[in-house]
Amino acid sequence: MVLKNHSYILFGLSVLLVLVVIASICIGAVHIQVHQLWSMISYHTGLSHKAGFTSQQLAVMLNLRLPRVLSGVLIGAALAIAGAAIQGLFRNPLAEPGLIGISSGATLFAALTIVFGGKLLTMIGSTYSYYMLSVAAFSGALVTALAVYKLAMRKGRTMITALLLTGIAINALAFSFTGLLTYISTDEQLRNLTFWSLGSLGGSSWLSVGSILPFIAIPVLVLPFMGKSLNAIALGETQAGHMGFNVNNIKRVVLLLATMSVGASVAVAGIISFVGLVVPHIIRIGFGADNRLVIPGSAILGAAMLTLADLVSRTLVAPAELPIGIVTALAGSPVFIYMISAQIKKQQV
């Protein structure tokens, strides 16, 4: 019965995602009617021989809107599912990749690659440079996650306060080094580094979609199957061990998959805050704390929210464009403050 209810909720979230994707493809400087979008799909799949659209609309849809929307879907799903998995692993709704330093670590390694590997990136070509940046960002995310995790461990247990404080310290350290790299960078490198710090989907292309797809598809497909294990860990690591779960292996797998998805996202879109923090919390408030729902539900809702944030970022001040990191921060900060206030009141009761 519970799984049946989960299916209904996931179906409803999927419908929301489809509607947001259609809106994001159709709305913009070149307007596309919904029936014209359907005409493009049916014409190119052979369902219809009547082309009820212009060549400009087709070019905009195929070369600009569709890769950008797919990037938003992939990155939103990756950030939200990584946040949900890390919160489940650490048993704290305030833990998320940005807050505990994973995103800043990924940004630092990507910045190191841009500043000191610029010639190498040019030599190996645009295709391989995307993969190289993804690998560098993933390595930075993994190193940071392991460092925070080890420093927060005491006698086999994760100290939540130590985790958050260590994450803040790692964030400050990583941002300091990124600032130093910004100071010594050339004008071209400075433009790239600014892009990382503000977050944007403006550089999305079919190439970038292809480069992050394997890094994000694996976590998005595998992490939902970890929901039962994370439910057991929520009862306590000792209890989970008594129930037959290998807690240490679960920690390694969740940490590896979460850092993989965050690293790939940062490599393509820079730092996008609050998606990994807020989206899992919305699912918990709306539908309960069962990780078998929270993890896949966060992936779908995260994809929808980031796609919507991207639509706002490119239409709100058109023809200019707001960095998407600013939009998510403006929307996510009040929710984050509310969460902290709610936790303080809960502890005082």
Side-chain angles (χ1 to χ4, degrees), residues 68 71-72 75 191-192 194-204 208 265-273 306 310 313-314 321-326 328:
R68 183 162 180 158
S71 294
I75 293 169
R191 282 194 294 274
N192 289 328
T194 304
F195 156 77
W196 297 107
S197 63
L198 295 178
S200 174
L201 295 179
S204 300
S208 63
S265 303
V266 171
V268 169
I271 293 182
I272 298 177
S273 305
L306 194 65
D310 180 54
S313 76
R314 63 182 171 81
E321 185 174 313
L322 277 175
I324 195 171
I326 293 176
T328 56

Side-chain angles (χ1 to χ4, degrees), residues 149-318:
Y149 178 67
K150 289 291 183 186
L151 289 171
M153 289 288 287
R154 293 291 184 276
K155 299 178 180 178
R157 295 183 59 190
T158 306
M159 309 298 289
I160 299 302
T161 305
L163 172 81
L164 295 175
L165 292 176
T166 305
I168 291 170
I170 293 282
N171 261 327
L173 188 65
F175 279 124
S176 298
F177 278 111
T178 305
L180 180 62
L181 292 170
T182 304
Y183 182 74
I184 64 173
S185 62
T186 64
D187 288 345
E188 183 181 353
Q189 291 166 346
L190 183 61
R191 282 194 294 274
N192 289 328
L193 290 174
T194 304
F195 156 77
W196 297 107
S197 63
L198 295 178
S200 174
L201 295 179
S204 300
S205 64
W206 287 111
L207 179 62
S208 63
V209 171
S211 69
I212 61 173
L213 184 60
F215 292 95
I216 292 177
I218 295 173
V220 168
L221 291 175
V222 174
L223 280 174
F225 292 100
M226 309 289 291
K228 190 176 179 181
S229 307
L230 293 174
N231 281 346
I233 289 178
L235 300 173
E237 294 183 7
T238 306
Q239 288 85 341
H242 290 157
M243 293 167 68
F245 292 97
N246 189 326
V247 175
N248 286 330
N249 276 348
I250 293 169
K251 287 179 180 176
R252 292 189 193 102
V253 171
V254 169
L255 211 54
L256 178 66
L257 294 176
T259 52
M260 184 188 293
S261 58
V262 172
S265 303
V266 171
V268 169
I271 293 182
I272 298 177
S273 305
F274 292 105
V275 175
L277 173 66
V278 173
V279 171
H281 206 68
I282 292 173
I283 297 290
R284 286 193 195 91
I285 291 173
F287 308 111
D290 189 340
N291 282 304
R292 292 175 297 175
L293 173 65
V294 171
I295 291 180
S298 296
I300 301 171
L301 185 60
M305 287 191 68
L306 194 65
T307 306
L308 184 62
D310 180 54
L311 175 61
V312 171
S313 76
R314 63 182 171 81
T315 56
L316 190 64
V317 291

Side-chain angles (χ1 to χ4, degrees), residues 12-25 304 307-308 311:
L13 292 172
S14 300
V15 171
L16 173 66
L17 174 60
V18 171
L19 293 176
V20 171
V21 165
I22 292 173
S24 190
I25 292 175
T307 306
L308 184 62
L311 175 61

Side-chain angles (χ1 to χ4, degrees), residues 63-86:
N63 301 323
L64 298 177
R65 302 259 176 91
L66 201 51
R68 183 162 180 158
V69 168
L70 287 177
S71 294
V73 168
L74 287 172
I75 293 169
L79 293 175
I81 202 169
I86 288 175

Side-chain angles (χ1 to χ4, degrees), residues 94 274 277-278 329 331-344:
L94 296 181
F274 292 105
L277 173 66
V278 173
S333 299
V335 179
F336 186 53
I337 292 170
Y338 164 76
M339 288 165 56
I340 294 174
S341 302
Q343 276 224 338
I344 292 172

